[in-house]
Amino acid sequence: MLTRAGGLSFFVAKTPILCHVGHTRLRSLLYGCSHHHFKPTAYSPYIKDRIFMNKSAHFSNLALSATNKYIPESSAVAETMSNKARKKARRESPEGVLRFKLDMCSKRGDVVEALRLYDEARSRGVPLSQHHYNVLLYLCSCSGSNGDENVVNLALKRGFEIFKQMGVDGIEPNEATFTSAARLACAMEDPEMAFNLVKQMKSCGIPPKLRSYGPPLFGFCKKGDADRAYEVDAHMVESGVVAEEPELCALLGLSVESRRVDRVYEMMHRLRASVRQVSESTAEVVEQWFNSEDAAGVGEENWDVGKVREGVVKGGGGWHGQGWLGKGKWKVVRTEMDEAGVCQSCGEKLVCIDIDPRETENFASSLTKLACQREVKADFVRFQEWLQRHGPFDAVIDGANVSLINQKSFSFFELNSVVNRLRQISPSKRLPLVILHRSRVTGGPAQNPNNEKLIQSWKKSGALYATPAGSNDDWYWLYAAVNCNCLLVTNDEMRDHLFQLLGTSFFPRWKEKHQVLHFPPL
């Protein structure tokens, strides 16, 4: 725990967490591209820039000279072959055999054998595909884990050669291609080249991923080049790529070392907003800052108390966002929290910090956009209009999930007991919203006379929405809960692909605040 005159406290309970007490302070190897995307033609001249390696050696300008080595099958033969026969032919072709062997090398991390296979394939005139080249580049870029300096140097040298040859052969690169090339550049301690590759990727219409930014960001942080590291971070934000704990920890550490106190404040708030529990390495960087002379000396001594209070309210409680406040040495200790959330060192109790309302609004907008892309737009818009007329609700129930007993039997009795319980504890004493698929409302147990009456009573009260045929009801109950800013009753862990689309920053925090699990009696 760390405090200063009743200021911020830093707690560690198994893994460190951050909280606030009181109102005081929270103390160039490039693919040249003239278009925004690559034309899917073997003769597209997309390599034209001069390529530099280690600031001394360079590749000369290249022109595509490869010819198509594939001999197309006659349509008559192709039509007579079954799908099974075609797959077998592809597997047993020289290209298919090479693919299998390279995949096995990737599984073993055997870059030496992969390079031997590559040389053999080129000598025999076997045409290489994007997949072949990407496996080779991946192996070369990961050779640092081998431990053999000779192998590492060989892999780096050959990796750049293979990257160049990929362009000569007219093979269209993708995100994995550029990311591996950026890793190669970083391995040669050239984060500038790695960053140029990422920028070139974006200019050619290939969206960079978080892993694409790792080589230049960590490379600049390692060199202590704060300005260039912040530039990479800004490029990530512009591209809609969200930094996670490793990236934020690296930027925080660099900010501490370079004594950029405003950046330290920024990175700590970004950690607070996106990381649920910091790792040991991040905790050590935080402790390093609060034990420093910079932390003791920075901060306003005369601040507007009204603005601080207003900031706490707007931020959901627990933090003010007004910058460093006050001066003096911090007390930093490790501590634990008891079951009631009380610190074992200072005796203060953790407070619940609400989610920023602006974040909720942005999340609802992105959720609507995704739902309309994956559902019939007219159906989802109709649901939004219905919710506007009948809402807001104090709770939303994932009806199909709550009604299943032992994952087998669908029980309206169980669902009704949850509905009644939620109505009892509701501030407005109104029924919660039940979301069920249309098939659950018209068939099976719904045809039981008692259940029919129950369903009709919910409909009459505006407390039941039946999602249309072919829809995924997950989008509906999730949107309703977010839109109404209310409780969501479901045992769904929300880990499948649909929920991964929602990102790793806001959504987990939203679940912590709103999801209620229901365990039916055995």
Side-chain angles (χ1 to χ4, degrees):
M1 181 192 79
L2 53 88
T3 59
R4 190 177 73 190
L8 175 145
S9 296
F10 176 52
F11 302 97
V12 179
K14 294 187 178 179
T15 51
I17 55 178
L18 289 176
C19 73
H20 302 271
V21 179
H23 66 274
T24 323
R25 43 173 271 174
L26 167 62
R27 298 266 293 143
S28 144
L29 181 62
L30 304 177
Y31 277 100
C33 178
S34 59
H35 302 283
H36 292 293
H37 63 281
F38 289 101
K39 304 288 186 181
T41 167
Y43 298 94
S44 177
Y46 58 83
I47 297 187
K48 62 183 181 184
D49 291 340
R50 179 162 300 213
I51 300 171
F52 292 89
M53 184 173 66
N54 249 6
K55 300 179 182 177
S56 56
H58 70 272
F59 299 118
S60 60
N61 289 337
L62 303 172
L64 300 182
S65 60
T67 58
N68 194 342
K69 296 182 176 65
Y70 287 101
I71 301 175
E73 298 174 306
S74 68
S75 58
V77 174
E79 288 175 0
T80 57
M81 292 180 66
S82 66
N83 288 334
K84 186 175 181 181
R86 288 195 195 97
K87 290 179 181 179
K88 182 179 179 182
R90 282 197 296 268
R91 284 197 308 269
E92 295 178 354
S93 68
E95 305 96 290
V97 172
L98 176 62
R99 177 179 180 132
F100 174 78
K101 290 182 177 180
L102 286 176
D103 286 345
M104 291 300 101
C105 288
S106 178
K107 190 175 182 179
R108 299 191 303 269
D110 192 346
V111 64
V112 175
E113 175 61 14
L115 291 172
R116 188 195 69 76
L117 291 168
Y118 168 72
D119 291 334
E120 180 182 72
R122 293 207 65 82
S123 67
R124 293 173 52 197
V126 177
L128 275 71
S129 68
Q130 183 189 81
H131 179 83
H132 294 129
Y133 276 112
N134 279 347
V135 172
L136 288 161
L137 289 170
Y138 169 77
L139 283 167
C140 289
S141 68
C142 296
S143 61
S145 59
N146 183 278
D148 188 326
E149 186 176 349
N150 292 328
V151 173
V152 173
N153 292 335
L154 172 67
L156 292 178
K157 177 184 176 183
R158 296 301 305 279
F160 283 114
E161 292 176 1
I162 290 169
F163 186 53
K164 180 182 72 170
Q165 188 62 49
M166 184 176 182
V168 173
D169 287 350
I171 303 299
E172 182 178 327
N174 60 8
E175 180 273 330
T177 310
F178 278 107
T179 297
S180 291
R183 288 171 178 162
L184 285 169
C186 188
M188 297 185 71
E189 299 185 354
D190 192 348
E192 193 67 50
M193 180 191 292
F195 190 24
N196 284 334
L197 281 161
V198 175
K199 289 189 284 189
Q200 191 73 6
M201 182 193 317
K202 186 177 179 182
S203 68
C204 293
I206 302 174
K209 296 182 179 179
L210 180 60
R211 66 178 186 177
S212 310
Y213 285 101
L217 180 64
F218 294 125
F220 284 128
C221 287
K222 184 178 179 181
K223 285 179 173 287
D225 193 337
D227 290 333
R228 296 298 282 157
Y230 296 145
E231 188 177 336
V232 175
D233 181 46
H235 199 275
M236 288 173 59
V237 174
E238 181 186 326
S239 301
V241 176
V242 180
E244 296 182 359
E245 185 180 3
E247 293 76 28
L248 293 175
C249 180
L251 288 165
L252 175 60
L254 180 63
S255 301
V256 172
E257 293 293 337
S258 59
R259 307 179 74 176
R260 307 285 186 94
V261 296
D262 290 339
R263 291 287 189 170
V264 171
Y265 186 83
E266 175 194 344
M267 298 308 161
M268 283 195 175
H269 271 298
R270 288 171 67 180
L271 278 167
R272 174 195 60 79
S274 62
V275 180
R276 309 315 306 136
Q277 291 182 320
V278 298
S279 64
E280 176 63 26
S281 59
T282 302
E284 290 174 356
V285 176
V286 173
E287 288 176 318
Q288 178 189 349
W289 162 253
F290 285 106
N291 281 318
S292 70
E293 292 298 323
D294 290 322
V298 68
E300 296 289 335
E301 292 189 279
N302 298 311
W303 62 85
D304 189 327
V305 176
K307 285 187 177 181
V308 172
R309 288 175 177 169
E310 183 182 349
V312 170
V313 173
K314 286 184 177 180
W319 71 283
H320 50 73
Q322 300 299 304
W324 298 112
L325 303 178
K327 294 181 185 292
K329 190 172 180 60
W330 290 86
K331 178 184 177 182
V332 184
V333 298
R334 296 277 180 116
T335 186
E336 293 182 351
M337 312 302 296
D338 65 16
E339 293 182 356
V342 176
C343 172
Q344 300 300 289
S345 176
C346 69
E348 293 285 351
K349 184 174 181 178
L350 289 174
V351 298
C352 178
I353 301 177
D354 293 334
I355 296 172
D356 189 329
R358 290 170 299 180
E359 287 186 283
T360 303
E361 291 175 9
N362 293 336
F363 181 62
S365 297
S366 62
L367 180 60
T368 300
K369 183 178 179 180
L370 283 168
C372 289
Q373 289 174 352
R374 285 161 176 79
E375 295 289 310
V376 176
K377 186 174 182 179
D379 289 341
F380 198 77
V381 169
R382 192 177 298 112
F383 169 65
Q384 290 179 297
E385 293 171 349
W386 182 94
L387 189 62
Q388 187 70 26
R389 294 193 306 271
H390 294 84
F393 294 89
D394 295 325
V396 175
I397 301 176
D398 174 8
N401 181 282
V402 170
S403 304
L404 286 175
I405 298 178
N406 299 324
Q407 300 299 312
K408 293 180 181 179
S409 305
F410 189 91
S411 171
F412 275 98
F413 177 82
E414 185 64 34
L415 178 57
N416 190 42
S417 67
V418 176
V419 168
N420 290 333
R421 177 58 181 155
L422 286 171
R423 185 177 192 176
Q424 291 173 6
I425 64 175
S426 167
S428 63
K429 300 302 178 183
R430 70 171 300 183
L431 289 170
L433 172 60
V434 178
I435 301 289
L436 279 172
H437 196 273
R438 182 174 297 170
S439 61
R440 295 290 190 185
V441 177
T442 58
Q447 295 177 332
N448 179 286
N450 291 331
N451 293 338
E452 282 183 346
K453 292 180 182 179
L454 184 62
I455 292 170
Q456 289 304 316
S457 69
W458 289 342
K459 285 183 177 181
K460 186 177 180 180
S461 301
L464 173 66
Y465 191 86
T467 59
S471 65
N472 185 341
D473 57 356
D474 291 3
W475 290 112
Y476 291 79
W477 51 253
L478 181 58
Y479 174 82
V482 173
N483 183 266
C484 296
N485 194 29
C486 65
L487 296 178
L488 170 62
V489 183
T490 180
N491 293 331
D492 193 322
E493 294 183 354
M494 294 182 266
R495 292 178 180 173
D496 62 19
H497 175 67
L498 181 155
F499 300 104
Q500 291 175 13
L501 295 171
L502 301 174
T504 58
S505 175
F506 178 85
F507 188 48
R509 289 187 289 133
W510 184 89
K511 284 200 301 179
E512 287 179 358
K513 299 288 185 182
H514 294 270
Q515 184 178 8
V516 177
L517 299 178
H518 167 65
F519 299 100
L522 297 177

